[in-house]
Amino acid sequence: MVVSHMVPAHSLNASAARLRTRQRSGLLCEFGARQQALTRLDGAIRRAETEIIDALTRDFRKPTFESYSTEIAFIRGEIAQTQRHLKRWMRPRRASTPLFLQPATSRVEFEPWGSVLIIAPWNYPFQLALAPVISALAAGNTIMLKPSELAPHTATVIESIVAAAFPNGEVETAIGGAEVARDLLDQQWDHIFFTGSTRVGRLVYQAAAKYLTPVVLELGGKSPCVVAADAELKTTARRIVWGKCVNAGQTCIAPDYVLVDNQIKDKLCTALSHEIERAYGPSPLESEDYASLISDNHFSRLAGFLKQGSKEGRIFSGGRSDPAGRRIEPTIIRDPSPESPIMQEEIFGPILPVLGFDHIGEAESIIARNPNPLALYYFSRDRKAASRFLKRVPSGGAAINDTVMQVGNTALPFGGRGASGVGLYHGRWGFESFSHKKGVFSQSLLLDPPLRYAPYSERQLSIIRKVLGF
Ligand code: NAD
């Protein structure tokens, strides 16, 4: 796929220097300047709504309902929530001061990192580029944003929104692919925020190490969905199918595979395929409500899972595909071996393996074969059993009796752990990730007891022992 234009490395170098100078000149120092920048961003998005929807259609036939709800409304909601709370977030947080240090006072100040680099993926190409921009602006940083080259129409719209919203240069965009990203990573930034694959995340971490730059890495992985024998079948099937098929499964927190109690495995498989038909009709490949895959390469990789036939398990429902339209039907694969590729690689498409278990311990050991997931889902009527399960299985985030919707609550931190990510964002968590937490100790000049000063005497030592109490 061709992007609108590439940026030469020397001009990235100049951009990085400009962004640093602007940040240091205090461009976003004050609360008012940050609020205005967010208001301008919101206005530019509102005015470009039709272009955004059109770009997402051209990039991967994303349904308008999904473009509005998961990209535009999500971002405008995040701006509104940030503007509502920013004054409070920016206020220094008072910290306690132990008796022996009084009458000093202590506080934590939120200091912008400086000029930051944001690298975005293609799967929610608008939302995942702009959500970290909101947090970074709120925290007072200037920003270099690189959208994904795999959604080129959306990247062009983002570029024009940024140009319209930031005439003072608080944010700049760099259009291009891996090469541009590598050139950007050669520059010195004060913080790097990366969303994408674990493989590239490792490269970004290595590049950041050169300047000891702090990072947030929002990565991928296999998010399991466990269904207990007492789960409410119809709602469970509906929520799993929606989480798997929204954006055609190209969602970092989509349920990657299902582990279901063998007592209800047959019933769940039937309920899942009924729900697919209810949502997308008898020919999902023609459904207007179903996005396409982003590229021919992504189509071929997923089609490969379907071809591997019996080794991958049995296709229970779906399985048809349309290479020209880059579409694969929502497909349920029953009982693939835990050793098969589909149970080891992140699927990132509308194929859902379903495996049974007799004891919850079996489900836990299948999950433990892969690194810590980004999300963990558990369906049951028994909230206590759900809490016990969540305590035993580490994951970035989790939802009980739902999938994907946890991302809609920006009061919750969003991020992975280990191979699924480093660091957090959304709401206050994003503001904090884009801020250095500076501990400030402010001493009084009224008193200056000589106790701590040399030359030290036996008497000082015995007093300090008493004061400190150890
Ligand atoms: P990707 O890692 O291929 O690309 C992400 C970005 O990195 C793109 O902008 C790309 O141009 C850039 N890039 C590519 N090669 C690079 C290199 N060598 N050095 C530096 N940058 C490079 O990821 P993708 O295919 O766009 O996205 C899919 C992956 O992202 C999936 O694994 C998914 O789970 C993950 N993801 C995670 C989240 C999250 O919030 N945790 C959200 C969306 C997607």
Side-chain angles (χ1 to χ4, degrees):
M1 210 155 278
V2 183
V3 292
S4 59
H5 60 269
M6 296 288 181
V7 188
H10 61 83
S11 103
L12 294 179
N13 199 332
S15 295
R18 267 201 312 273
L19 285 163
R20 177 161 300 108
T21 309
R22 284 184 202 131
Q23 202 281 332
R24 290 195 180 152
S25 74
L27 187 61
L28 287 163
C29 185
E30 303 298 330
F31 165 74
R34 299 184 195 182
Q35 283 288 65
Q36 280 167 20
L38 290 169
T39 301
R40 288 196 309 269
L41 177 60
D42 189 56
I45 292 171
R46 195 183 60 241
R47 287 188 295 278
E49 186 171 314
T50 314
E51 285 94 318
I52 300 166
I53 290 173
D54 182 49
L56 289 161
T57 308
R58 291 166 75 184
D59 283 330
F60 61 118
R61 273 172 64 184
K62 183 154 174 151
T64 302
F65 180 87
E66 292 183 11
S67 293
Y68 174 74
S69 57
T70 69
E71 310 257 9
I72 298 169
F74 185 97
I75 287 298
R76 296 196 62 198
E78 179 91 25
I79 294 175
Q81 141 105 345
T82 301
Q83 290 197 304
R84 213 164 26 247
H85 299 293
L86 184 56
K87 194 162 223 162
R88 184 163 51 80
W89 293 349
M90 285 175 68
R91 232 174 262 150
R93 204 180 293 158
R94 203 188 326 202
S96 63
T97 306
L99 207 57
F100 77 94
L101 292 174
Q102 288 185 12
T105 57
S106 307
R107 62 181 185 274
V108 180
E109 291 188 356
F110 297 94
E111 188 175 73
W113 286 116
S115 56
V116 305
L117 171 64
I118 295 176
I119 300 181
W122 54 264
N123 61 322
Y124 287 77
F126 186 75
Q127 188 225 113
L128 293 172
L130 289 175
V133 168
I134 296 164
S135 301
L137 278 175
N141 301 278
T142 53
I143 299 147
M144 171 58 81
L145 169 63
K146 194 199 89 58
S148 171
E149 71 282 17
L150 291 184
H153 299 99
T154 309
T156 303
V157 176
I158 290 173
E159 191 182 30
S160 62
I161 288 173
V162 166
F166 304 110
N168 305 327
E170 294 94 336
V171 186
E172 294 193 14
T173 38
I175 299 292
E179 212 164 293
V180 169
R182 278 194 292 268
D183 287 342
L184 285 166
L185 289 168
D186 281 342
Q187 316 296 322
Q188 185 166 3
W189 303 97
D190 299 309
H191 181 91
I192 298 173
F193 187 104
F194 170 82
T195 308
S197 60
T198 302
R199 179 188 71 79
V200 177
R202 276 202 185 92
L203 301 175
V204 172
Y205 217 172
Q206 280 162 9
K210 183 168 149 202
Y211 296 112
L212 295 174
T213 307
V215 295
V216 168
L217 304 173
E218 295 284 344
L219 311 177
K222 289 183 84 63
S223 298
C225 178
V226 174
V227 182
D230 68 345
E232 205 284 299
L233 263 183
K234 197 166 168 214
T235 318
T236 300
R238 180 172 276 209
R239 293 179 183 172
I240 293 175
V241 167
W242 175 77
K244 186 68 172 180
C245 296
V246 64
N247 220 37
Q250 303 166 111
T251 304
C252 57
I253 49 170
D256 189 276
Y257 59 95
V258 169
L259 299 169
V260 54
D261 192 304
N262 274 326
Q263 293 173 56
I264 58 160
K265 187 166 79 176
D266 292 343
K267 283 191 191 142
L268 182 71
C269 286
T270 306
L272 288 167
S273 61
H274 283 164
E275 177 55 23
I276 290 168
E277 183 158 353
R278 190 204 62 76
Y280 302 103
S283 313
L285 296 176
E286 275 124 51
S287 171
E288 289 293 312
D289 297 329
Y290 190 52
S292 293
L293 302 170
I294 192 71
S295 74
D296 292 339
N297 283 346
H298 289 77
F299 174 86
S300 307
R301 187 181 65 82
L302 287 163
F305 285 138
L306 299 180
K307 277 200 207 107
Q308 286 166 21
S310 60
K311 243 188 17 217
E312 290 296 354
R314 191 161 58 82
I315 291 182
F316 179 81
S317 68
R320 287 175 297 182
S321 60
D322 165 21
R326 298 197 313 264
R327 285 179 161 207
I328 287 181
E329 272 185 338
T331 299
I332 296 170
I333 297 192
R334 228 177 115 127
D335 302 323
S337 147
E339 277 90 40
S340 58
I342 204 170
M343 287 303 292
Q344 289 177 23
E345 269 173 51
E346 180 183 14
I347 298 170
F348 218 57
I351 305 178
L352 184 66
V354 177
L355 290 81
F357 63 82
D358 289 321
H359 306 286
I360 193 71
E362 286 170 39
E364 290 174 24
S365 40
I366 293 175
I367 295 169
R369 285 165 170 261
N370 290 305
N372 290 332
L374 185 56
L376 178 66
Y377 301 113
Y378 189 86
F379 283 83
S380 166
R381 287 188 169 94
D382 182 347
R383 300 261 163 184
K384 283 195 182 138
S387 296
R388 280 198 302 275
F389 179 76
L390 262 44
K391 280 201 180 76
R392 287 196 302 269
V393 182
S395 65
I400 299 168
N401 289 326
D402 211 339
T403 66
V404 179
M405 289 305 284
Q406 71 271 25
V407 76
N409 182 1
T410 54
L412 289 175
F414 184 83
R417 49 175 293 169
S420 57
V422 174
L424 304 164
Y425 79 133
H426 287 175
R428 167 142 208 157
W429 306 94
F431 171 83
E432 291 200 8
S433 285
F434 279 104
S435 306
H436 168 63
K437 270 71 80 191
K438 186 176 196 165
V440 178
F441 178 71
S442 177
Q443 186 54 282
S444 160
L445 289 171
L446 288 177
L447 299 172
D448 193 22
L451 183 64
R452 69 171 140 146
Y453 298 117
Y456 307 121
S457 66
E458 281 300 320
R459 192 163 163 272
Q460 272 170 285
L461 183 60
S462 89
I463 293 174
I464 202 148
R465 277 185 191 282
K466 281 203 185 100
V467 171
L468 297 179
F470 308 111

